[in-house]
C-alpha cells in the first residue's frame, strides 16, 4: 500500500528545462524524496506563446512555480531586442499573470545586470536604484516590473554570474581555453558575485518550502538577492578555475588581467554588480557558500575521472 501524499508536499514547476539553473534544480530535486519537480519547457510551455502557459501549469498542478527561462545571450540580445523583450519581459509577465489567476506562488529569477551604474561603494542592495545598460539588462529589469505588476505576491530573486557543471558558462569556457591557448587574458575591472548554480538550486528549494508554507507572509515577498558569498572579477574567477584545474593535473596556463576597454563586446557589462544578500539572510535565513568554494566544486565535477 502506498502512503497518501502529504498535504504539505512541495510540487515545483520549473520553467525552463535545459538551462543551467533548471538542470541544477532537477538534480537537487532528484535526491529529495519529499518534493516533486516538473520541468516545463518548449514546445509544451513556450513563454512567447501565452496560450501554452495555463494548460501546462494546470497539467503539472504545482504548488509553486520557479521561472528560470530567459533569453540569456547577453551580446546576441543587442541584435535581437524583440526576442529578448518577448521572453524576458512579456513572457515573464504572461507567466506571472497565469500564476496569479491560478493562485500559484511564483519565484522569478532575475539578474545583477539590472545594476549598471557607478558603484555605490558597497554591495548593491535590493532597494538601490537600478540602471540597466544594454538590451538583456533592460529586458530583465522591465521583466521584474512586469512580473510584480501582474502578480504582486511574486518573489523576484536576483542572482549573478552563474556557473555549473552543465550548460554554457565562464568556468567551462576557461577550462576549454586552457586546452587551446598558451595564455588567457581576462577582464579584471568588472566585479560581481559568482554563483555555483547547484548551491543556488539547493537554496531555492528551501525558499520554495518557506514560501509554500506561508504564501501570505509579506516578509517573504518582493525583491531579494542571492549569490555566492564574497566578490570577484572575471580575472579572479579565471585564476581560480586554472588553479583548481592545475591541482587536478591540467597543464598550467598563465592568466593576465586586461581591462573592459581591451575586450569590447556588443553589450556593455556592469563594472560593479556585487549583490548584497543580507535581506534574504534576514527574511529566509539563507546564504550561499563562498564563490571560491563553488568554483572548486564545479571544476572538481567537470574534471572528475
Ligand atoms: N547565466 C548567468 O550567468 C546568469 C546570471 C544572473 C542571472 N541569470 C538568470 O538566471 C536565470 C537562469 O539562467 P541560466 O543560465 O540557467 O539560463 P540558460 O542556461 O540560458 O537557460 C535558459 C532557459 O530558458 C529556456 N527558454 C528559452 N526560451 C524559452 C521560451 N520561449 N519559453 C520557455 N522557456 C524558454 C530554455 O529552455 P529550452 O532551451 O530547454 O527550451 C532554457 O532552459 C535566467 O533568468 C537568467 O536571466 C543568469
Amino acid at each position: 500500500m502506498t502512503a497518501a501524499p502529504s498535504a504539505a508536499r512541495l510540487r515545483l514547476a520549473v520553467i525552463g528545462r535545459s538551462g543551467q539553473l533548471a538542470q541544477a534544480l532537477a538534480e537537487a530535486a532528484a535526491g529529495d524524496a519529499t518534493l516533486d519537480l516538473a520541468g516545463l519547457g518548449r514546445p509544451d510551455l513556450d513563454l512567447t506563446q501565452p496560450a501554452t502557459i495555463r494548460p501546462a501549469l494546470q497539467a503539472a498542478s504545482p504548488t509553486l512555480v520557479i521561472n528560470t527561462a530567459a533569453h540569456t545571450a547577453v551580446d546576441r540580445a543587442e541584435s535581437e531586442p524583440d526576442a529578448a523583450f518577448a521572453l524576458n519581459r512579456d513572457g515573464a509577465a504572461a507567466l506571472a499573470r497565469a500564476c496569479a489567476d491560478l493562485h500559484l506562488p511564483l519565484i522569478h529569477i532575475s539578474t545583477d545586470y539590472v545594476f549598471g551604474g557607478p558603484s555605490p561603494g558597497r554591495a548593491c542592495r535590493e532597494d538601490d536604484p537600478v540602471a540597466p545598460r544594454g538590451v538583456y539588462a533592460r529586458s530583465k529589469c522591465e521583466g521584474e516590473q512586469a512580473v510584480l505588476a501582474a502578480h504582486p505576491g511574486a518573489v523576484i530573486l536576483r542572482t549573478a554570474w552563474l556557473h555549473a557543471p552543465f550548460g554554457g558558462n565562464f568556468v567551462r569556457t576557461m577550462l576549454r581555453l586552457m586546452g587551446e591557448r598558451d595564455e588567457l587574458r581576462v577582464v579584471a575591472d568588472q566585479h560581481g558575485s559568482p554563483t555555483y548554480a547547484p548551491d543556488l538550486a539547493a537554496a531555492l528549494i528551501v525558499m520554495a518550502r518557506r514560501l509554500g508554507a506561508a504564501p501570505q507572509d509579506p516578509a517573504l515577498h518582493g525583491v531579494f538577492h542571492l549569490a555566492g558569498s564574497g566578490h570577484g572579477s572575471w580575472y579572479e574567477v579565471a585564476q581560480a578555475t586554472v588553479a583548481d584545474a592545475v591541482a587536478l593535473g591540467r597543464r598550467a596556463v598563465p592568466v593576465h588581467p586586461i581591462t573592459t576597454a581591451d575586450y569590447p563586446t556588443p553589450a556593455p557589462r556592469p563594472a560593479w554588480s556585487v549583490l548584497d544578500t543580507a535581506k534574504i539572510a534576514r527574511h529566509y535565513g539563507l546564504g550561499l557558500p563562498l564563490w571560491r568554494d563553488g568554483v572548486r566544486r564545479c571544476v572538481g565535477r567537470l574534471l572528475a575521472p
Side-chain angles (χ1 to χ4, degrees), residues 15-23 40-43 45-49 67-73 87-88 108-113 136 140 157-163 167-169 200 234:
I15 315 303
R17 255 198 294 242
S18 64
Q20 282 186 92
L21 185 53
Q23 283 192 64
L40 304 182
R42 295 175 291 180
L45 189 159
D46 182 334
L47 289 182
T48 63
Q49 305 294 327
N67 182 21
T68 72
H71 186 303
T72 58
L87 182 52
N88 294 347
H108 172 74
I109 309 298
S110 191
T111 173
D112 59 322
Y113 278 21
Y136 168 76
K140 289 292 291 183
L157 185 77
R158 293 184 187 139
T159 190
W161 295 29
L162 286 179
H163 57 90
N169 61 67
L200 179 63
W234 293 115

Side-chain angles (χ1 to χ4, degrees), residues 6-283:
S6 146
R9 193 176 175 81
L10 184 62
R11 290 196 310 278
L12 286 182
V14 173
I15 315 303
R17 255 198 294 242
S18 64
Q20 282 186 92
L21 185 53
Q23 283 192 64
L25 279 162
E27 196 176 75
D32 187 334
T34 67
L35 73 84
D36 301 315
L37 183 147
L40 304 182
R42 295 175 291 180
D44 319 320
L45 189 159
D46 182 334
L47 289 182
T48 63
Q49 305 294 327
T52 64
I53 297 175
R54 202 188 247 259
L57 288 178
Q58 283 170 321
S61 183
T63 50
L64 188 141
V65 177
I66 300 178
N67 182 21
T68 72
H71 186 303
T72 58
V74 176
D75 288 323
R76 189 150 45 81
E78 294 298 309
S79 55
E80 46 187 55
D82 291 351
F85 277 96
L87 182 52
N88 294 347
R89 181 192 58 200
D90 304 337
L95 175 69
R97 254 188 313 277
C99 289
D101 290 349
L102 297 169
H103 304 288
L104 288 172
L106 168 67
I107 301 175
H108 172 74
I109 309 298
S110 191
T111 173
D112 59 322
Y113 278 21
V114 299
F115 298 113
S119 156
R122 51 165 173 74
C124 302
R125 295 198 282 257
E126 287 81 351
D127 54 0
D128 279 332
V130 293
R133 292 165 62 226
V135 169
Y136 168 76
R138 282 192 281 113
S139 65
K140 289 292 291 183
C141 192
E142 291 185 25
E144 291 184 354
Q145 292 152 14
V147 164
L148 288 174
H151 190 336
V155 174
I156 306 291
L157 185 77
R158 293 184 187 139
T159 190
W161 295 29
L162 286 179
H163 57 90
F166 24 74
N169 61 67
F170 183 82
V171 170
R172 293 190 74 188
T173 301
M174 289 302 108
L175 290 177
R176 177 174 53 78
L177 292 178
M178 277 180 79
E180 295 172 5
R181 299 191 182 167
D182 292 327
E183 59 177 20
L184 303 179
R185 293 160 54 78
V186 184
V187 171
D189 57 359
Q190 294 169 19
H191 301 267
S193 305
T195 306
Y196 186 44
D199 288 343
L200 179 63
L204 267 167
I205 289 173
V206 175
M207 231 181 134
R209 281 192 203 290
R210 300 259 157 82
L211 191 60
Q216 308 300 335
D217 183 347
L220 303 182
H221 293 168
V223 181
F224 292 90
H225 292 170
L226 188 57
S229 295
H231 61 80
S233 66
W234 293 115
Y235 168 67
E236 288 171 302
V237 182
Q239 277 187 313
T241 304
V242 168
D244 292 341
V246 169
L248 292 171
R250 284 284 204 96
R251 178 182 68 110
V253 175
V255 185
H256 302 295
I258 59 170
T259 66
T260 299
D262 295 327
Y263 189 75
T265 52
R269 305 298 201 272
W272 178 270
S273 56
V274 176
L275 295 179
D276 183 312
T277 57
K279 182 181 172 192
I280 203 163
R282 271 196 318 275
H283 293 225

